[in-house]
Amino acid sequence: MTLPNLAAIFAVTLLAIVVCYIVLTSYNAVVALRLRIDKAWANIGVVLRQRHDQLPNLVAAVRGLMAYERDVLTRVTEARAAYMPTAPIHDQAATSEATTAAVRSLFAVVERYPDIKAGANVQDLQDEIERLEGMIADRRELYNDQVYRYNTRIGQVPGVVLAPLFGWQPREFFAADPADAIPPDTDLRSS
């Protein structure tokens, strides 16, 4: 075997090792990001479930005092009923936004009823729902950060080359409604 042939074999072997290393590290990085996205979404799901579990308590606390505001209570109840934890992320995000809007409407209506505002039970529920809304926002941010990293990774070289080979598809962000940029006024305490 000649020296040029040995050099060619060494170069091809080295190139194969480098390519295998790049493919393996890229694959492992994408798998790790996918798992982080799944974990982040599971954490969002927990808080969404907690919020939806609190809504019947809120509706029950204000139902008797809001006989003339049945449509608001109906919207909150319908939003809760529409929640399906197994639905695609886009559908769950839409349901979450509808629920947030319905709860905002309920709090706005409750603001007009001093008897309801004064109720300790309603205030406790309001505080709990505010806490859960804050947790949803925090977890949405973490989820979207992981989706951003994943989508960036599969959109750059070498991920863009490997994505079709491994079936990697961009993930969907948990987009917030532009109205969510304005925090809801949920303070029901008497002024």
Side-chain angles (χ1 to χ4, degrees), residues 35-45 139 142-143 146:
L35 291 174
R36 287 184 191 138
I37 290 169
D38 293 343
K39 178 184 174 193
W41 184 254
N43 289 338
I44 290 172
R139 290 180 181 186
L142 177 64
Y143 172 83
Q146 296 303 322

Side-chain angles (χ1 to χ4, degrees), residues 52-63 80 121-122 125:
H52 283 86
D53 288 347
Q54 287 298 322
L55 292 179
N57 298 333
L58 180 63
V59 170
V62 299
R63 176 171 287 162
R80 183 193 183 278
N121 188 28
V122 173
L125 289 168

Side-chain angles (χ1 to χ4, degrees), residues 2-180:
T2 64
L3 187 59
N5 287 345
L6 282 174
I9 291 172
F10 177 74
V12 169
T13 303
L14 184 60
L15 182 63
I17 290 171
V18 169
V19 168
C20 285
Y21 176 77
I22 290 171
V23 169
L24 287 174
T25 57
S26 294
Y27 182 84
N28 288 339
V30 169
V31 167
L33 286 170
R34 286 173 56 193
L35 291 174
R36 287 184 191 138
I37 290 169
D38 293 343
K39 178 184 174 193
W41 184 254
N43 289 338
I44 290 172
V46 167
V47 181
L48 289 175
R49 168 57 56 199
Q50 289 173 347
R51 178 180 67 177
H52 283 86
D53 288 347
Q54 287 298 322
L55 292 179
N57 298 333
L58 180 63
V59 170
V62 299
R63 176 171 287 162
L65 300 170
M66 293 180 56
Y68 302 108
E69 305 290 348
R70 292 283 179 218
D71 61 322
V72 174
L73 294 175
T74 300
R75 277 185 274 157
V76 172
T77 304
E78 288 172 352
R80 183 193 183 278
Y83 174 70
M84 298 178 70
T86 58
I89 290 171
H90 174 72
D91 294 345
Q92 287 190 47
T95 300
S96 176
E97 298 310 318
T99 302
T100 298
V103 169
R104 283 182 182 160
S105 295
L106 178 62
F107 285 147
V109 169
V110 166
E111 188 66 28
R112 295 185 296 209
Y113 292 89
D115 293 343
I116 295 174
K117 282 182 6 179
N121 188 28
V122 173
Q123 288 179 5
D124 290 344
L125 289 168
Q126 172 232 332
D127 291 343
E128 178 64 9
I129 289 175
E130 275 183 19
R131 183 185 72 79
L132 293 171
E133 290 288 341
M135 287 176 67
I136 290 169
D138 290 343
R139 290 180 181 186
R140 174 188 290 157
E141 182 178 351
L142 177 64
Y143 172 83
N144 284 340
D145 181 57
Q146 296 303 322
V147 168
Y148 169 78
R149 290 174 185 221
Y150 171 82
N151 288 347
T152 300
R153 174 69 93 163
I154 67 170
Q156 294 177 333
V157 174
V160 73
V161 175
L162 299 174
L165 298 173
F166 293 114
W168 298 332
Q169 296 293 321
R171 294 283 184 104
E172 197 172 330
F173 288 97
F174 185 177
D177 185 351
D180 283 348

